[in-house]
């Protein structure tokens, strides 16, 4: 299949999934306004249908590996694309994401993120942002769920290095929950920028939890090592060399 034809398929796919997001957002709106269960059902429906469309329209198959946590945990996840968000959210029972504040003003996404209990962070005010994040998370965990945070703070393209930030360690120590690292290769097929979506096997892998009580620096070092090592292995599994590209 030519890359040009795949690009056209990808463009149609992107139009379809964003139109579908708007349709579902409107259909579920009355339910979501009055109950978080409605918002959760809408987002689960969107995640599952988008993964189905990805397989059918652009050839991306999605696979979840490892033991998916169901209790109260912090999930420290590798973030390469929108796809890994969808896959993780679909896999866990009640995901709540640490997200950049600007997304709250995004049509559909912002309203549903609020209803799910996602915690916005002002990335421009580092010290104040971390302090507020901890306070907001403590309040939000009055209701059980799995808190998803991206330790690198943003999407990072396959093969690109970016340091792990201290926020994940602060939440891990402050909440006293286990931290479940998650690796992925999703960005190989669904990149952080551009239209082209490549066929292949996108994987998110839930790794062994880091139990509470590990000192901050040791925790961050261990978290980065297990996520990066496993993510590199997943990328190599599908033919992508994280040290030098395809």
């Amino acid at each position: 299949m030519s890359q040009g034809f795949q690009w056209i398929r990808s463009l149609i796919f992107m139009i379809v999934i964003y139109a579908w997001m708007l349709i579902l957002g409107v259909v579920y709106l009355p339910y979501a306004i009055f109950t978080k269960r409605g918002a959760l059902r809408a987002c689960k429906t969107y995640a599952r249908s988008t993964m189905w469309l990805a397989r059918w329209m652009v050839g991306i198959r999605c696979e979840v590996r490892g033991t998916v946590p169901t209790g109260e945990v912090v999930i420290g996840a590798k973030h390469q694309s929108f796809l890994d968000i969808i896959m993780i959210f679909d896999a866990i029972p009640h995901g709540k994401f640490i997200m950049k504040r600007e997304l709250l003003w995004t049509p559909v996404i912002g309203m549903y993120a609020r209803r799910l209990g996602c915690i916005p962070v002002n990335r421009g005010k580092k010290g104040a942002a971390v302090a507020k994040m901890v306070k907001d998370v403590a309040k939000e965990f009055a209701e059980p769920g799995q808190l998803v945070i991206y330790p690198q703070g943003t999407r990072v393209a396959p093969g690109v290095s970016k340091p792990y930030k201290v926020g994940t360690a602060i939440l891990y120590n402050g909440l006293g929950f286990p931290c479940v690292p998650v690796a992925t290769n999703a960005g190989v097929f669904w990149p952080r920028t551009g239209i082209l979506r490549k066929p292949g096997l996108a994987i998110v892998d839930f790794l062994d939890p880091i139990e509470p009580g590990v000192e901050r620096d040791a925790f961050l070092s261990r978290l980065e090592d297990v996520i990066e090592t496993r993510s590199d292995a997943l990328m190599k599994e599908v033919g992508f060399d994280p040290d030098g590209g395809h």
Side-chain angles (χ1 to χ4, degrees), residues 25-35 112:
V26 172
V27 168
Y28 275 93
L29 184 60
Y31 189 14
I33 287 175
F34 293 105
T35 170
Y112 279 88

Side-chain angles (χ1 to χ4, degrees), residues 4 6 11 18 29 31 46 52 56 80 86 103 106 125 147 150 156 161-162 169 199 205 212 214 221 237 239 243:
Q6 184 68 19
L11 177 61
Y18 285 111
L29 184 60
Y31 189 14
Y46 179 75
W52 181 84
W56 178 65
Q80 294 182 339
I86 292 171
L103 287 175
T106 304
K125 299 179 179 179
L147 179 68
Y150 297 110
V156 179
S161 297
K162 189 175 180 64
D205 195 356
V214 181
S221 177
E237 180 180 327
D243 299 316

